[in-house]
Structures are given as C-alpha cells and as structure tokens.
Amino acid sequence: MSAPIPRYPISPQRSPLLSPQELLAAINGRTDCELPLAQWARTLGSLYRDWLAEPSSARVGQQIVAVIHDIDVWISAQLPRPRPGVPRGIDSVGGVIGRVAEAAASAHWALHNAQDTDQRHRAWNHLAEMREGYEDLVRLILDGLVKLPKSWPSISWPATAM
C-alpha cells in the first residue's frame, strides 16, 4: 500500500497551476485572476454551459478541443520535469481542467433543471470528486511524481467536425 499524498496549500508562487478553489472560481466566472489558466478555465466553463444549452453544437465542441489543446501546449513548458521512472498519467492538464469544467457546468445545470434529487446529488458529488482529483494531480505534478501525456486534439468526431 502506498503512502497517502500529503495535503498542503497549493501556492501560486510555487506553480503555474491554479489551486482547486481558484480553478472552480474561474470556471464559474467568479474571479478577476488574469493568470493564463484562469482565463482558459473561465472560457471552458462558459463553453460547457453553452454546450449544455445546445448539445449538438459542433462549434462549441471545436472550441472546447482548441482551448484544452492551448492549455496543454502552454503548460508543458511551465511544469517541472517528472522524476525518472514515475508512472505515466492518463490525461493532460488541459483534459483534466476540461473535465472539471464539464462537471461544474453539469452540477449547476442539475441544480436548476433536474427534478430528481438523486441526480442533483450525483452531479455535485461528481464535481467534488473531480475537484479532489485535480488537487491530487497538481500535487503529483509539482512533486514530479507523474509523467503527463502530450497534448492531442483528439479525433474529429462528427459532432465536432467542421
């Protein structure tokens, strides 16, 4: 059994990554932070809210893919190198931020639109899990304990193809 990951405050002076609180505030458009990740997170939050309103929008899907790619390209030059021999992660920083933004938009949608209390609870529980996963990933990255995959803009599925 591996030792638990220690919890300590994530400091902007220590990292180009946002703390979980800063990330959620940016996704929800409730921050004046002008750090690049905050601006992209704000954009992703808005795009996912748009996608919930119009799920068949190819334009929104394309923009989400582009923002996630922009995050990954930028962050790859900002992060410390991982230690030799560490395990490889399964998603990029942009991918994880996109998933947190999707979970936040879904939770807010469920709060205002879902009739089922269980569905609302599951949506908010999922957002809490995603937030904790992001926090754990940030610690692993900063401690050099994970090697992140390179950015890939994904397959152009019919819903996102031009």
Side-chain angles (χ1 to χ4, degrees), residues 4 39 50 66-67 94 96 98 101 117 146:
Q39 293 175 18
D50 290 349
V67 172
V96 171
T117 304
V146 65

Side-chain angles (χ1 to χ4, degrees), residues 60-111:
V60 175
Q62 292 167 346
Q63 290 176 320
I64 289 169
V65 168
V67 172
I68 289 171
H69 181 71
D70 289 346
I71 291 170
D72 290 337
V73 168
W74 179 80
I75 202 72
S76 66
Q78 309 298 318
L79 298 178
R81 291 183 186 258
R83 297 178 189 177
V86 300
R88 183 171 299 280
I90 60 169
D91 205 350
S92 66
V93 171
V96 171
I97 291 173
R99 294 282 294 143
V100 174
E102 179 184 13
S106 295
H108 286 283
W109 180 91
L111 179 65

Side-chain angles (χ1 to χ4, degrees), residues 3-160:
I5 298 170
R7 301 242 181 235
Y8 51 86
I10 298 167
S11 165
Q13 293 81 17
R14 183 172 175 228
S15 163
L17 297 165
L18 301 172
S19 72
Q21 298 82 355
E22 292 167 327
L23 177 63
L24 287 174
I27 287 169
N28 291 315
R30 294 187 183 115
T31 183
D32 294 329
C33 180
E34 292 303 320
L35 293 173
L37 279 183
Q39 293 175 18
W40 283 312
R42 187 179 309 121
T43 300
L44 282 171
S46 176
L47 288 170
Y48 274 108
R49 287 187 295 276
D50 290 349
W51 206 353
L52 281 170
E54 190 181 345
S56 63
S57 173
R59 175 193 56 80
V60 175
Q62 292 167 346
Q63 290 176 320
I64 289 169
V65 168
V67 172
I68 289 171
H69 181 71
D70 289 346
I71 291 170
D72 290 337
V73 168
W74 179 80
I75 202 72
S76 66
Q78 309 298 318
L79 298 178
R81 291 183 186 258
R83 297 178 189 177
V86 300
R88 183 171 299 280
I90 60 169
D91 205 350
S92 66
V93 171
V96 171
I97 291 173
R99 294 282 294 143
V100 174
E102 179 184 13
S106 295
H108 286 283
W109 180 91
L111 179 65
H112 299 289
N113 297 289
Q115 300 301 315
D116 182 3
T117 304
D118 289 340
Q119 185 181 18
R120 287 193 301 269
H121 178 75
R122 283 194 315 272
W124 282 92
N125 188 52
H126 179 67
L127 175 58
E129 291 173 340
M130 294 300 296
R131 180 216 174 275
E132 290 173 7
Y134 171 79
E135 183 175 22
D136 291 343
L137 178 63
V138 167
R139 285 196 181 81
L140 290 171
I141 291 168
L142 296 179
D143 291 341
L145 298 175
V146 65
K147 185 185 301 184
L148 297 171
K150 292 180 175 48
S151 182
W152 181 58
S154 189
I155 296 171
S156 293
W157 299 104
T160 61

